[in-house]
Amino acid sequence: MEDDLGELIYLADPPGTSGHVVSLRVLARPAPGGDVLDCEFVVETETVKGSFPVYVTSDDLDDWEEAPGALAGFVSWLNSGRTVQFKIKPVSPGVIAVSVHDGPSSQVTVSVRLFPATGWIDDQRARLEGVRRLFSG
């Protein structure tokens, strides 16, 4: 993975806690004129570490762009059935449940509760802007 490609999604517990992390890493730039990013969801807990390959299209990014505005409530993304599905649900103040479901392939679902840092929604917006720049440069 090229270090400068980054992560479209990065949700993590604060340092010194459980250490749960859910991220969507960008693995490769889109082909010139292309609209597909090679990515992988990575889920890390005390007992589970797994990754799920996923291709994210520019249309998927458009859908994700709408999600941060709704992150105070339930969000479900990548629902087409062609790839891994991603969900975020508030559980209580300061706590979210995040799940990654690999429906098309392994049928595995990994769900974790996270205590994201203050400003996590703005961080997701900034990450999206950074990933969108991969399509233009």
Side-chain angles (χ1 to χ4, degrees):
M1 178 176 123
E2 295 179 37
D3 291 348
D4 64 339
L5 296 180
E7 293 154 323
L8 174 58
I9 297 169
Y10 186 82
L11 301 168
D13 283 333
T17 63
S18 69
H20 295 168
V21 175
V22 176
S23 64
L24 179 59
R25 295 180 183 159
V26 178
L27 301 176
R29 294 181 181 278
D35 72 341
V36 176
L37 287 172
D38 182 16
C39 301
E40 72 176 346
F41 273 106
V42 177
V43 180
E44 297 179 42
T45 73
E46 306 92 357
T47 56
V48 173
K49 183 174 182 176
S51 63
F52 304 88
V54 61
Y55 291 98
V56 175
T57 68
S58 57
D59 287 341
D60 293 331
L61 292 180
D62 291 344
D63 292 342
W64 181 243
E65 187 168 14
E66 296 173 18
L71 284 175
F74 176 76
V75 170
S76 183
W77 182 54
L78 299 175
N79 299 316
S80 69
R82 70 170 168 76
T83 190
V84 174
Q85 184 178 31
F86 178 72
K87 295 180 182 179
I88 300 174
K89 178 182 174 185
V91 177
S92 61
V95 182
I96 58 174
V98 177
S99 71
V100 178
H101 174 65
D102 183 20
S105 182
S106 67
Q107 296 295 311
V108 169
T109 300
V110 179
S111 299
V112 296
R113 287 184 180 228
L114 296 169
F115 301 84
T118 302
W120 69 276
I121 294 173
D122 290 336
D123 180 54
Q124 301 317 300
R125 287 186 181 115
R127 290 174 181 281
L128 174 61
E129 289 175 22
V131 169
R132 283 209 181 270
R133 285 192 289 272
L134 294 175
F135 284 99
S136 61

